[in-house]
Each structure stands twice: as C-alpha cells, then as structure tokens.
Amino acid sequence: MGGDERMELAIKNVSAGYGRIQVLWDVSLEVKQGKLTALVGPNGAGKSTLLKVITGFLKPYSGSIELDGINLTYLKPHMIKKLGISMVPEGRRLFPNLTVKENLTMGAYFLKEKHVINEQMEFIFSIFPVLKERLNQTAKSLSGGEAQMLAIARALISYPKILIIDEPSLGLSPKMVSLIFEKLMELKNRGTTLLIVDQYVDKVLSIADWAYVMENGKIVMSGEGLELLKTDMLKKFYLGIG
Amino acid sequence: MDLLIDFAISLARNVVLGIMMGSVYALAAMGLALLFGVANLINFAHGEYVMLAMYMAYFFSVTLVIDPVVSSIINIPLFFLIGLVTYFLFFKRVINAPPLSQIAVTVGVVVLLRNIALVIWQAEPKAPPFTIFSASYEMGPITIPLDKLFATIISITSLILLYLFLERSKFGTAMRAAADDVDAVSMMGIDTGRLFLLTLGISMMLVGLSGSLIMMYQAVTPTSGLLFGLLSWAIVALAGLGSIRGIYLAAVIFGLADALASGMWDPRGREIILYGLFILILWLKPRGLWGRR
C-alpha cells in the first residue's frame, strides 16, 4: 500500500460469452479506490456482459476478477456482494411490491448490527432526502428519478467497497439525468469508489477520473475522462459531431 | 313450509361446514403458493405431500393413540425436514430449470410417493378411529363439531402467524422480495439457494399441518393427492399470487362449493363441481381475483 494508490477492482484478461457466442475478448480494466471510473461504448459492445461477469452472474471462459487481491472469479453473486461489490443493475430491478423501507432493508440484509443499519439509513437519507418522505410507499409507486435514487441507495446502504451503476440515466428526463449526475458527483466527493456504465458519454466522461471505451467486446481506448472526451474518435462515434 | 325450513337449516349447516373446510384447504394452498411465488417452482407433487401428511397423521394417531389434530405437533417439524430432504433430492437441480423439467421431476415424485403409499398402506381408505373432541357445539339448529371448529381455529391462527412472519421478519421480507425478482435478491447478498430451501421447508410445514387437519374431514387413500393437488392449484389460480387473504377467501369459496356439492346434491358430485369451478376460473380470470401478477 504505502503512498501508492490502492487498487480496488482488477479485471484481468477476461474472455466470456454465452455458450459458443463469445462476447468479451481479453478485457482488462481497473477501478481505483475513491475514483470514478467510467465504461462507455455503443450498444452491444459487451458492457452489460462484463458487469455480469464482475457480479458473478456469468462465469468467464478465462481471466480473473480480483478485489483487493481476493479472487472473485468463481464466487456466487451473493458472496461477491458480501465482499463489497454492489451493483445498480440496468432497469434498476427494485422490488416493486415492497416499500421503500423494505427495499433498503434488503440492501442492508447482511449487515447484522442494528445501529450500523440505522447509521447507514441516515447516511442514505442525507444524500437522498426524498426517500425518507416515501419510506412507506411501494417501490412501484415511485417516479423514474425516485426509483433510480432508491436503486442507488439500496446498493449503497451495505457500505460497499465499489458501487457499480449500469445506465443510471436510462429512461429518465434530462432534468432527472442532471439530478442523478449531481448525486453521483456528491458520492464521488464523499469518497465512494464508482464504476459507471452509461450511454450519456459526454456527461459521464466529464465527471470520470478515468474512463474505458469498449467496442465489439474489447477495450479500445482508455484515459482520463476529459481527455477522452476531446479525442476525435469518440466525438465521431458517440457524440455525432466532428 | 317445513320443507323450506329444512332446506334453510341444511343450507346453513353446509355453509358453516364449507367455511371450516375452506380454512383447512387454505393451508395446503398457501404451501403451494409460497413455493410457486417465491421459488418459481411448479410442484405437481404438492397434493402427494398432503396425502403423505394425512397418512402420517393417521399413523401417529393410531400408534400413539392421539387425536389427528394433536398429530400436527409431530407433522409440522417432520414435514419441515421432509421439505429439506426433498429440496436436496429432487428440487435443487430444477429450481432454475424451465417449467417442463420441473413438471417432469415433480410428476416423477407424484408416482414415487403414490406407490410408496400403496405399498405401505394399501388401497383401502384409512381414517383415524377416534377423536378427543367428540362433543359438539349447538348453535340453534346447527351443530358444529368441536374437532372441526378447533381445526378451523388452528388454520386461521397459522395463516395469521405466517402473515406476520412474511410482513415483519427480515427473512419473510426476503421471501417477498424473491417473489418480485430472484436475481435482484442475490444481488443483495442473499443466498437464494438457502432461501429456496427454507421456503420449501415452510411450505411443507403448512402441508404437514393441513394433512393432520384434513383428517378431521375425510379418510385418506393413495390417490387422495390428486384431489388435494388440484384443489390447491385451483385455489391458487382463483386467488392469484401475492396475498394470504386472497388465498384464504379463494379456499373458503372452494370449501363452500365442496360442502354444498357433497351435502346438498350428491357426495359423488363433489369433484365435478370442484374441477368445473377450476376450469371456469382459468377460462374467465386466468390471473386470479387478487393476484398482483
């Protein structure tokens, strides 16, 4: 450790796919502690597949996933969560018939001590005060933005080492997208380690410390978020300008 | 005039009986609904486990000389264990499998259990020879047998306890969460294998209890599973998943249909009415009356 940046998550040479259809080709990626890392790329680039591999829902053909030197590659999803990787999945995947409070309770399921859970609840409400007002409403009654906040809160409440967010802006109005990105900035400033996958390339790159660009199942570019934003290739492919 | 009064008394008697029978059926149906709702497991052998529970109630009441109601004290933990064993033997491998594999495996269990029952207990109906609650309670012209009243009270109390468990406990909340989205539950750091195992255990506890209580009403044969399996599926189909109250009301509707068909028409007409009702429900309301999905 020493004065070096501590590495949190390391994905090493991962190849993966569904049966014979290979999707990821020798993907390597790092997420550093306290940093916001972005993963961008067009639809079908393999971003979601990579997240499935990280969270244990898909086992890779080869390569490894390590968190602080612990090999997660062959662990089940619930063990990976317990070791500190929380994910906000695409489409949020809230429990629609459970209340906001019950959704949060599920997020904090493996926290055993009551005072820790209460502290984490207060921490969540300090970031997302609206959830406190909605505590006894069912998740399905929330608006899109509120639901996204609940999904982030549910993943954040277990005090993860890394928070992965898949498409935080999907299906939200531009105003809500701005609000969600403000919240993500706030989390970053509080020291949360983040890995964000998004289609809003310009928005996510402008707040990312480091970013990876994925295409056809391979990492084709990486660099500081703002630097990447300036490159011609990215402008051409994803922003439709230049 | 006398005819009318007789009819009214007979009707009232069968309505009371139907509500009491429905309360007991609700337990068996609830076991099925839990397993289907939480673990997405289509258990065609559910009725066979009810049949087995009835035989065990018979066995304990004869060998230990106890009332079948009292046999539930043994049947509940016994069937919890049977649930755990069943999970590892049969269900673990098919819990994430497509419905067809689940049907194939559980139908295999049907054949297995039915033939085990046939070998051990033969085909003649078996009924417990006695009850400690031989007295009955007179409510005007309607006689309420105390044993059946007691069975009703136990059923309703159990359903209330189950409701409190599902609503108030963390594990119960996880079971409801799994009914919404199983993959998201494992993303919460919850071992879904363990969740399914315990859900099957709880489902089987309900089956064990319902088997003991159904013995208050009728004898058991190796083919009783067919009736109680279909009855459970019919109740779940009528109620839809997601509400204990819905299951209870649907079970009472079937209890009433059962009692009225047997008591007012012809005991042999019972199954015609029950299955006819089942088909009618699937036809008119495939999602159930109170289902949330």
Side-chain angles (χ1 to χ4, degrees), chain A residues 57 77-78 81-82 87 89 93-98 102-103 105-112 117 154, chain B residues 166-167 170-171 173-174 176-178 180-192 194-195 292:
Chain A
F57 284 94
H78 71 270
K81 163 82 173 188
K82 279 186 180 170
M87 180 158 83
R93 306 284 289 269
L94 292 170
F95 304 116
N97 294 297
L98 267 53
E102 287 170 338
N103 268 278
T105 309
M106 289 297 99
Y109 194 85
F110 62 85
L111 300 181
K112 293 288 175 234
I117 297 171
R154 187 183 63 170
Chain B
L166 290 174
E167 289 294 320
K170 209 156 104 168
F171 193 81
T173 310
R176 285 185 292 128
D180 277 355
D181 191 333
V182 170
D183 280 347
V185 165
S186 61
M187 280 181 218
M188 301 296 108
I190 300 168
D191 183 351
T192 49
R194 193 170 154 267
L195 185 80
R292 66 182 180 198

Side-chain angles (χ1 to χ4, degrees), chain A residues 48-64:
Chain A
S48 292
T49 304
L50 181 60
L51 295 190
K52 277 187 196 163
V53 172
I54 297 173
T55 50
F57 284 94
L58 184 69
K59 296 303 163 196
Y61 303 151
S62 61
S64 68

